[in-house]
Amino acid sequence: MRMKAHHLAYLEKLMKRTDLSPRSTLILARRLARQIGLARESWTERSSSDRGQAKDSDFRQKPEKNKKIAAEKSQQLLDSLRNIGERILEDDKFLTKKYGFEGLCDILQVNRVHRLEVRERVKHSERLIATLVFVWAFEDSATVLSGRRATELKGGPLYHALMQTLKRAYTREAK
């Protein structure tokens, strides 16, 4: 479900608060990353739509100008997603130590069956979030995986945030 722009701005404002618990911040980061992904899809859709196909009347009237605006907005959202990924990577060791395997699996909504599957393999990981979300793709597996293999899913909000962060890092290295 897509949220209105002012709600997205409110989530971004909440992320800047310093009085939230680390657990609340992680939950908020997941929610924000999910909504940013949905908003990016919407802006990308707008920027690529033809003059006659645009649903928004403003986009039909000034397609070139509005395509540019949509592309800029999509880029801003992508930057926000990357910032979330960077923050997750920075806090991963701390959160792993603070909440442990079961606590992070609860926050990330990892299915109990999948927990059994990876528990021994990630036993000594200092970065459980990156491991569970990016390597194993078990984020939200309790609600959306339902019989599919994790490699088919790779679509959780933190997965996309971490992927964009890695893309940024590789792009910087390539320059």
Side-chain angles (χ1 to χ4, degrees), residues 157-172:
L158 293 184
Y159 173 85
H160 289 294
L162 292 173
M163 176 59 86
Q164 293 305 322
T165 302
L166 289 173
K167 283 181 180 178
R168 177 191 279 169
Y170 285 125
T171 303
R172 286 181 184 163

Side-chain angles (χ1 to χ4, degrees), residues 70-82:
E72 288 172 0
K73 184 62 178 175
S74 181
Q75 185 59 48
Q76 289 172 353
L77 291 167
L78 184 62
D79 290 341
S80 294
L81 196 59
R82 287 175 177 153

